[in-house]
Amino acid sequence: MKEIDQGAEHNTVKERILKEALRLFSEKGFEGTSLQAIADAVGIQKPSLIYHFPSKENLRQNVVESLIVYWKNELPRMLTTSQDDSNRLVSTMTSLVNFFMEDVNRARLVVREMIDRPEETFSVLNEHVSPWTRLIGDYLRMGQQGGIYKKDVDPNAYIVQVMVMVVGTVAMGTVISGMVSASTDISHGPLIKELVRIVQASLYADKK
Amino acid sequence: MKEIDQGAEHNTVKERILKEALRLFSEKGFEGTSLQAIADAVGIQKPSLIYHFPSKENLRQNVVESLIVYWKNELPRMLTTSQDDSNRLVSTMTSLVNFFMEDVNRARLVVREMIDRPEETFSVLNEHVSPWTRLIGDYLRMGQQGGIYKKDVDPNAYIVQVMVMVVGTVAMGTVISGMVSASTDISHGPLIKELVRIVQASLYADKK
DNA sequence: CCTACCGATCGGTAGG
DNA sequence: CCTACCGATCGGTAGG
């Protein structure tokens, strides 16, 4: 009844639904998650879900959109925060890694969406992410002419490959970190470290 | 009735089931694929599936195993075929890329299994793939001491990251190739080319 | 490999 | 946001 802290944090039922749906869709997949399971996690009845989101498909779209919104707010901040020019790319990528590691489910959902609905996901990325990758692409091309980046780097392909590595490493981290060190999961330190090294070593021109 | 070419190609019902199940599990996911859909694709009735594979879960395990078996036959061949020492790693990776691109569903299934069943997938990889990654790791360490590979490469992490890139690029190729060039899919030429470049540039030591 | 069939669960509606 | 309910489909069994 209280409307004082209505839009404050993750308090509203709608926000709690989105949160639990993101988690379950990421962990078990869209088809592997029932509306009943989401309702149970939130602590309401199934038809109450349908009151907030008219269908399961509509709920999925809203979950994806909530991620996109987060992205569109964070990415500009990542790109501008980094002060010095030479390290801007690496620090942006580090922010990207942190964004996904903050909640591994974000990376998993992105990977799932790409595989489950390639065409739709392409449209979404093309609309909301491509502007930024194009910007970084221009920045890369400038650096190439200035001689600080390798000349044989394919800017567009490079950016996409970095994204594949970041999102792939975080999404599959639980599995693959066990293959590099003993710990079966969490933080995957050596993996992220090597990821950053590969991204840098394949970009910066050799010192002459 | 004819038993002449019984074990020849993809002729037996069991093999046809495995083939269609791999395709559907890869495209729609395990939970998104019904036994009815598989039966329809094969052209038999649902209970006939259960005759060959006692449960859906059992069928999934057999699909995964069929991939593993393929792997265990191909990987040694990849590693030995490459003649000259210096390019062995790159040619092995190229074979790996070809293996997954031959049938994109292989890469998609691997990614799905990693996200859907992290612990189980780790066990499978640890048993059947780790021996080979360890071998390549030793080879990398030797090359490092010989000075042909960068000293700051983390061999184990590097190998895993290369696998993430390969499998990720192929699995998500349909989506991401559209972001680098106009073509919405197929062959993803520039992506694979950049992938190979990154793998090489981040490995080989700078010429002094 | 098929027909016939089962209990359980699915997404979603009616109506309040 | 709830109770009551629906047709369709799920994985799987019985029995041949």
Side-chain angles (χ1 to χ4, degrees), chain A residues 100-118:
Chain A
F100 283 113
M101 293 221 345
E102 216 172 90
D103 184 353
V104 182
N105 288 328
R106 289 171 184 163
R108 293 200 182 131
L109 193 82
V110 169
V111 172
R112 280 193 194 278
E113 285 292 314
M114 284 193 182
I115 298 179
D116 285 348
R117 280 163 286 273

Side-chain angles (χ1 to χ4, degrees), chain A residues 4 21 68 81 96 125 173:
Chain A
I4 296 171
I68 294 287
T81 300
L96 197 63
L125 292 180

Side-chain angles (χ1 to χ4, degrees), chain B residues 70 74 77-78 95-106 170:
Chain B
Y70 199 115
E74 289 298 302
R77 202 176 58 80
M78 294 178 193
S95 301
L96 196 63
V97 171
N98 289 339
F99 168 71
F100 282 113
M101 294 222 342
E102 218 172 87
D103 184 353
V104 182
N105 288 329
R106 289 170 183 162
V170 178

Side-chain angles (χ1 to χ4, degrees), chain B residues 13 45 48 51:
Chain B
V13 177
Q45 296 303 313
S48 307
Y51 167 79

